[in-house]
Amino acid sequence: MTNKFMDNKFIIRLFWIVILGIIWQVIALSEVFNLTSFPRIETLLASLIKDILNGDIIIQTLYSLSLIFKGLMLGLIISIILSGISMISKVFEGFVDTVIAIAHPLPGIALLPLVILWMGIGERAIIFIIVHSVVWPLTLNLLAGFRAIPNIYKQIGKNYGLNSLKIIRYILVPASLPYFITGLKIGWARAWRAVISAEMVFGAAGSAGGLGWFIFKKRVFMDTSGLFGGLIVIILIGIMIEDLFFDKFEKMTIKKWGMSI
Amino acid sequence: MRCLLEIKEVSKSFKKDKRKVKVLNDVSFSVKKREFVSVVGPSGCGKSTLLSLIAGFDEYDEGNIYFKGEKVIAPSPERVMVFQDFNQLFPWKTVIENVLFPLNVNKKETTLNERKDLAKKYLKMVKLEGYEDYYPNEISGGMKQRTAIARALIMKPEILLMDEPFGSLDAQTRMQLQTTLIELLEEIETTIVFVTHDIEEAVVLSDRIIALGKSSNSIKDVMVNNLDRPRDRLSNKFIEKVKKVYDKIKE
Amino acid sequence: MKKLRIKSIYILLTLFVFTLSLNGCTSSNDTSKNKEIKIAEQYGLAYAPLQIMKDKRILEKNLPEGEVIWKQMGNTAAIREGMISNQVDVGFMAIPPFLIGWDKGMDWKIASGVSSMPIGLVTYKSEIKTIKDLTSEDRIALPQPGSIQHIMLSMASEKVFNDSRKFDNQLVTMAHPDGMNALLAKKDITAHFTSPPYIFKELDHKGFHKVLSGKEAMGKDFTFIIGVTTKAFHDKNSKGYKAFKKSLKEAISFINKYPDKAADILAKEYDLPKKEVLRYITADGTVYSQEVNGLEDFADFMKRNDYISKSFKDRKEILWEDVTDDK
């Protein structure tokens, strides 16, 4: 049953991608737009394959992903600490709540000029922006998750003689998993956008500048099909993470357990 | 014989909209070892609160609760609660993992295999053989409550506190679980305080029935129930008993 | 049933996209019929004649029936994209970005030179005397890859190291003011390839010195900023085109004849002290002229190093018929 659904979803995706591709090709061939700004599909694919073969796009993508990974991990740790102390102390809860209210609406890219002033340019600043995009939605979701845990779980924990730490470890953490996954999904999506935008503003940081820098370079050298290649990679990675990673993970956990929110 | 559980002049009130609302007023009774005591009464009479005070989840305002001669101040694995809520099982654990949970976290000096054998034994007692690897969302409400009972019993508690455990089940399933519980009592030595609003259930299960009144929030009567076991719900004596209890709590 | 629904959605979607594209098409046609002239420039002293033209309303005088729309844009790529989508008729930029666009098939040609400027690479590190002293740790700020600053740095590294891409992984893309602030902070940026007035301001600070000048990189004088127009504008609005060229000529000769008066106007535009502006526009290496110099040198270098795929055989391929030839 589940397998069939997965196949269906995959087929639906593929179907619409093909349709969109056909529409694209029809518009390109009609030459309503200049072919430089609206290249044909085969030109796009040829350019993408060229960039894959010379390794450039792969190196840049891996670099961007490594930045995201670092930022996500750091954001995760900070979120757990922030939501943890909020659960323990009322004073901190107010503090964390206020910080989120201030910081959450700020787009990471708007902070960029300030971040450059504080920590200079390069990897650290980009990671800072990623952490900023991840921490607030994740903390909000973790807090919502902790608050949504039925009181009965805590009572059961106490009843079976668990101390506070064990209650957190064995009960609160798994019980808030659905919220945690939602937070992580939002965090990932924001981090991915943040890293691309930040890389487009910065130059090459060290040996690679990331996918954003790749796209920026394609823009300034007017390599439109190369630019689309970068966009295709962004889309593919987005679909892979959303459809494959998160979907699989949810199916293995909260969907199997009937816990999805 | 000394009593296992003594409740002495216990009162408890909650704050509601800045007003104090008394839910228990000067309640006293005691429970002997291996006794099955039911607490009946209409909703709002404070019977669930009473159970939660005995479990140690809540603090009482006045009076004392003694368990094995010591004042109850916190929850303890010696007094295990079974709730009405089907959600009392952890959804991320299978049936057997749920039953194993109290043993695993308390790291009793046994091997995992020994613990698993024990869990299987208790699951067999509650008639859940073959359902060990199901997740809670894959089994029925009745099966969930059976799992919860097995999880409570595996701790070998001195006293089992049951807060309307069959209250959300349909009539037929409820009767099946009552039968299972009666059979269990022959195999395990435990004391039970059982809260219910179902008088027939109280009469079928318990040795003594405590009736709580809603308006007074205190004990209206304590009735000994010494009908012969197994009890026949259709016998005249049974029906009379039910009627008697019903008359007592009627206000 | 289901198939039918999918089919109708498909048709709707196609129609939707087509309507969108048609709309885009008609609106761009409309604007070229109009008597509007849309001019895009950037910030800096190299664009001074345009400020004069704007302030003294020279183009309005030469083209009474037209409407002039000025746009100041953040970078060359934006101007180029504006010209592709017909949102800009006349754009100002350096020769390399123009050649990249021409190579990629953009239908545009050079209408005029505007200025030559003493651009260069500035550092605060005393141990860096030439680009040979730059290490792989040093980060170099410049407007963007493919900009004239980048191409000149590449020209110099080709000469010195026989490797035009040597510094490509050490570049940091920054607009001139940001790059200047970063350099003055002496933190992340070792060197800044920039143009007036920023280069003058940086060099005014103690210890800041020029490592490389544009002239050294190129080996000769070259035109820094040129004016480019789309074929659509040049062909369909020849009156506007001529008026624009005439106005630019007047503005340039005004600066050259009356630098003092020009400095008055520019001081206001750039929000700088007049004395400073006067010093900048009369500085050695600052030339306002309609001549276009260095086309072949840029094209040869960029072709040799794969920044462009083709070069021009005849200057007429990239210059409109009336453009002043260089010497």
Side-chain angles (χ1 to χ4, degrees), chain A residues 94-108:
Chain A
F95 167 71
V96 171
D97 200 55
T98 311
V99 171
I100 292 177
I102 292 170
H104 189 43
L106 281 174

Side-chain angles (χ1 to χ4, degrees), chain A residues 39-108:
Chain A
R40 289 194 295 263
I41 298 234
E42 66 265 26
T43 325
L44 294 187
L45 292 181
S47 156
L48 181 60
I49 289 166
K50 192 195 88 203
D51 282 324
I52 290 173
L53 289 183
N54 70 26
D56 194 21
I57 204 164
I58 294 172
I59 292 168
Q60 306 288 11
T61 306
L62 289 179
Y63 179 73
S64 293
L65 287 176
S66 80
L67 287 182
I68 287 218
F69 182 75
K70 287 180 200 166
L72 269 178
M73 286 301 126
L74 211 61
L76 196 64
I77 294 168
I78 297 171
S79 293
I80 289 172
I81 294 172
L82 285 181
S83 51
I85 57 171
S86 296
M87 289 312 287
I88 292 164
S89 145
K90 275 267 175 241
V91 179
F92 267 113
E93 192 179 356
F95 167 71
V96 171
D97 200 55
T98 311
V99 171
I100 292 177
I102 292 170
H104 189 43
L106 281 174

Side-chain angles (χ1 to χ4, degrees), chain A residues 15-16 19-20 22-24 26-27 30 32-34 36-38 60 115-124 200-209 213 216-224 227, chain C residues 6 9-10 13-14 17-18 20-22 24-25 75 77-81 84 97 100-102 104-108 139 143-147 150-151 165 168-174 187-189 307:
Chain A
F15 172 77
W16 284 110
I19 294 290
L20 289 171
I22 291 170
I23 295 175
W24 179 281
V26 167
I27 296 173
S30 74
V32 178
F33 298 107
N34 187 330
T36 323
S37 43
F38 210 102
Q60 306 288 11
V115 176
I116 295 175
L117 274 184
W118 287 343
M119 33 199 7
I121 45 171
E123 206 170 302
R124 273 203 310 167
M200 290 185 78
V201 175
F202 290 111
S207 56
W213 177 245
F216 184 76
K217 270 199 300 194
K218 296 295 178 188
R219 178 193 177 200
V220 294
F221 286 114
M222 286 194 72
D223 181 359
T224 315
L227 194 151
Chain C
I6 291 176
I9 291 173
Y10 166 59
L13 211 73
T14 322
V17 174
F18 265 102
L20 268 187
S21 56
L22 287 176
C25 202
N75 59 59
I79 294 181
R80 220 161 36 190
E81 284 148 10
I84 291 179
I100 290 170
W102 171 78
K104 295 290 176 184
M106 280 185 72
D107 222 348
W108 63 357
R139 314 280 290 282
Q144 63 194 33
S147 63
H150 175 220
I151 296 298
R165 310 236 173 210
D168 275 10
N169 286 333
Q170 291 164 246
L171 305 182
V172 180
T173 297
M174 285 181 149
K187 214 162 109 196
D188 304 302
I189 299 296
Y307 290 105

Side-chain angles (χ1 to χ4, degrees), chain C residues 131-132 153-167 301 304-305 307:
Chain C
I131 59 167
K132 279 186 199 155
L153 183 64
S154 304
M155 282 175 160
S157 26
E158 188 192 42
K159 275 183 194 142
V160 175
F161 304 104
N162 206 19
D163 172 13
S164 68
R165 310 236 173 210
K166 182 171 166 60
F167 297 113
F301 172 81
R304 189 162 67 242
N305 289 285
Y307 290 105

Side-chain angles (χ1 to χ4, degrees), chain C residues 222-278:
Chain C
F222 59 93
T223 299
F224 178 49
I225 294 299
I226 52 173
V228 182
T229 76
T230 58
K231 186 174 185 335
F233 173 73
H234 173 267
D235 291 357
K236 289 181 191 157
N237 194 350
S238 57
K239 237 176 141 181
Y241 175 82
K242 279 182 189 124
F244 158 71
K245 285 211 60 175
K246 189 167 174 244
S247 307
L248 188 59
K249 194 177 176 186
E250 285 178 37
I252 287 174
S253 56
F254 179 81
I255 297 182
N256 292 333
K257 257 188 214 154
Y258 314 107
D260 196 65
K261 279 186 193 165
D264 265 332
I265 296 169
L266 295 171
K268 199 172 63 209
E269 290 285 340
Y270 293 121
D271 198 20
L272 287 169
K274 185 193 158 188
K275 246 178 80 185
E276 240 173 88
V277 176
L278 191 59

